[in-house]
Amino acid sequence: MFEPFPFFLISDKNPKDGLFIKQPGFCIKHFKDKTERIFFDHIILVRGWHISPSGFSCYVDENKVIFGIRIIGRFDREKTKRKLQVTDFNPILTEDHFYSILNEFNIVSRLNEHVEFNNQTIHEIRKLNQTIKSNSEFAQEKITNREGIENIENHVKRIFSASSLITTRLNIVDLNQNPELLGEKSDIGIYNKFYKAARCLESHEKRVAINLHGESHKTINSYRHFEILPVVLLENAVKYSPPDQVITVIFSEQADELEISIESIGPFVLPEERELIFLKSIRGSHALKTNEKGSGIGLYFAKLICDQHSIIISAESNISRSFDYNNVKYAPFTLILRFVW
């Protein structure tokens, strides 16, 4: 990440130097002191300016905390004077100067983020395209040899799944580049979109089953990219699930409400992380310990789509039924969607 000031990501709380200002020696030495730790735990969800117990300015952004700097009117001059060493480069800045520097670095960071996102998407599309190619070749061979229709059907399912996921990837690219370009709305059947997403993902190599319980005839007047939502949520559940597990999607419909619960097994999510995992580039601390590659954008896009359609999304993780798998703590994980008409 291109950051000008000392910072840590809310997801890992691992302090790093900025490119313009590095961490003061006092902050490096005392970052994990009890008083400082309690302070940072308290402010991470309160965006804006704060003054740390040691007197330095702190700024909470969407997914990170900037600390160890001095902003006029936002720091304790006497406290910081006693804590800074001769070797510390820690100029006093105005708020305008701070925001100006931050914005310049954010432009570079966003450009880099887009490049990484597009590179990852291209890699995923190539992998899906290879799935289509290999299964097409297998199906053609079986047709030529007049083998059983059931064998051919499995390959056709994988081709359909990969093709649908490529479409989803391209729609996500559009949404990432133009989140405000919403287009026109139309009525979409909610259950049908989840059913289609489940069928697309059922042939995944992890052999994870996706079962739908209950039903719903509700429709939602939505933008075209709403159909990304079921795929992203179910794919996230499949991605982090151990092999041979079952993902259950439960539909509970009332007169003017619909609740959809997606129940799976995944890395345990700490209580303080259950809102943070919907922020961009944030993954839970236990998810980071898995071998699954990820950029922390799946649930971010899910939350973005939910907000655009007035859908409430939340997460639960049950520590009482946790267990260790490959040195990672796993537990039942539930994503809940609430629709109100």
Side-chain angles (χ1 to χ4, degrees):
M1 295 181 69
F2 295 93
E3 296 294 340
F5 307 111
F7 75 101
F8 64 84
L9 294 177
I10 292 173
S11 59
D12 63 18
K13 297 180 183 175
N14 183 24
K16 297 180 177 66
D17 286 331
L19 296 178
F20 174 50
I21 297 177
K22 299 184 184 302
Q23 300 174 72
F26 177 89
C27 293
I28 294 174
K29 184 177 180 180
H30 296 279
F31 181 80
K32 293 187 177 181
D33 285 0
K34 183 177 180 180
T35 303
E36 297 286 324
R37 191 172 67 250
I38 292 173
F39 166 75
F40 285 124
D41 286 344
H42 177 70
I43 69 166
I44 55 175
L45 291 178
V46 185
R47 296 184 66 170
W49 288 104
H50 306 271
I51 299 178
S52 73
S54 52
F56 290 98
S57 307
C58 296
Y59 183 77
V60 180
D61 206 344
E62 182 180 31
N63 63 352
K64 65 179 179 291
V65 176
I66 295 170
F67 69 97
I69 58 175
R70 295 185 295 169
I71 305 298
I72 293 176
R74 303 287 188 182
F75 77 104
D76 188 313
R77 188 178 295 270
E78 292 304 315
K79 282 186 177 181
T80 56
K81 186 187 297 183
R82 294 194 299 269
K83 293 175 174 61
L84 287 172
Q85 303 168 4
V86 176
T87 54
D88 289 327
F89 174 70
N90 200 274
I92 298 174
L93 306 174
T94 65
E95 275 194 53
D96 287 344
H97 196 188
F98 168 83
Y99 287 123
S100 176
I101 295 171
L102 195 62
N103 287 336
E104 292 294 331
F105 274 80
N106 281 344
I107 291 172
V108 176
S109 182
R110 281 196 295 270
L111 289 173
N112 185 60
E113 186 178 278
H114 278 299
V115 170
E116 290 181 358
F117 175 78
N118 289 337
N119 287 341
Q120 181 181 338
T121 302
I122 290 170
H123 172 74
E124 291 174 348
I125 288 176
R126 283 176 175 160
K127 186 176 179 181
L128 291 167
N129 187 59
Q130 181 59 41
T131 298
I132 292 174
K133 181 176 181 294
S134 59
N135 279 278
S136 297
E137 291 171 349
F138 282 130
Q140 182 61 49
E141 180 182 342
K142 292 181 186 301
I143 291 171
T144 302
N145 296 333
R146 300 184 181 278
E147 295 188 29
I149 189 68
E150 65 279 358
N151 293 324
I152 298 173
E153 186 178 5
N154 289 332
H155 294 298
V156 172
K157 282 183 178 179
R158 294 189 184 103
I159 292 169
F160 170 73
S161 173
S163 175
S164 298
L165 291 175
I166 286 175
T167 300
T168 299
R169 293 291 183 278
L170 295 175
N171 288 338
I172 289 175
V173 169
D174 285 342
L175 183 61
N176 184 56
Q177 293 179 341
N178 304 291
E180 306 301 324
L181 193 62
L182 301 177
E184 297 182 356
K185 284 186 171 182
S186 61
D187 289 336
I188 293 177
I190 299 170
Y191 180 90
N192 289 340
K193 291 301 178 184
F194 274 88
Y195 178 84
K196 180 181 177 181
R199 298 293 76 81
C200 283
L201 294 165
E202 67 181 356
S203 60
H204 193 277
E205 60 189 17
K206 278 189 174 181
R207 305 178 305 280
V208 175
I210 303 176
N211 296 334
L212 276 61
H213 290 277
E215 58 181 20
S216 173
H217 300 288
K218 295 284 190 184
T219 61
I220 183 171
N221 191 241
S222 67
Y223 300 108
R224 182 173 63 89
H225 60 256
F226 172 82
E227 63 187 29
I228 296 173
L229 181 62
V231 178
V232 165
L233 295 179
L234 293 180
E235 193 171 25
N236 185 77
V238 171
K239 175 180 179 178
Y240 287 108
S241 173
D244 301 308
Q245 297 295 316
V246 175
I247 296 167
T248 305
V249 185
I250 302 172
F251 292 80
S252 302
E253 181 179 312
Q254 297 181 13
D256 56 355
E257 292 185 15
L258 172 63
E259 181 176 289
I260 302 175
S261 299
I262 302 172
E263 300 178 353
S264 63
I265 299 296
F268 176 64
V269 181
L270 298 169
E272 60 267 28
E273 296 174 338
R274 290 172 198 173
E275 291 184 26
L276 302 178
I277 57 175
F278 295 107
L279 298 178
K280 198 169 190 177
S281 303
I282 299 293
R283 300 169 72 199
S285 54
H286 290 285
L288 289 170
K289 297 175 183 177
T290 69
N291 293 324
E292 298 294 341
K293 294 181 179 179
S295 53
I297 59 172
L299 292 182
Y300 163 77
F301 281 120
K303 180 68 164 61
L304 176 63
I305 295 169
C306 285
D307 288 346
Q308 291 171 343
H309 294 86
S310 300
I311 303 166
I312 300 171
I313 184 170
S314 59
E316 298 176 357
S317 193
N318 189 350
I319 185 62
S320 66
R321 295 170 56 196
S322 65
F323 62 94
D324 288 342
Y325 174 74
N326 286 347
N327 297 317
V328 178
K329 186 178 292 296
Y330 280 76
F333 178 71
T334 305
L335 284 170
I336 302 169
L337 302 177
R338 291 187 176 90
F339 301 73
V340 179
W341 283 267

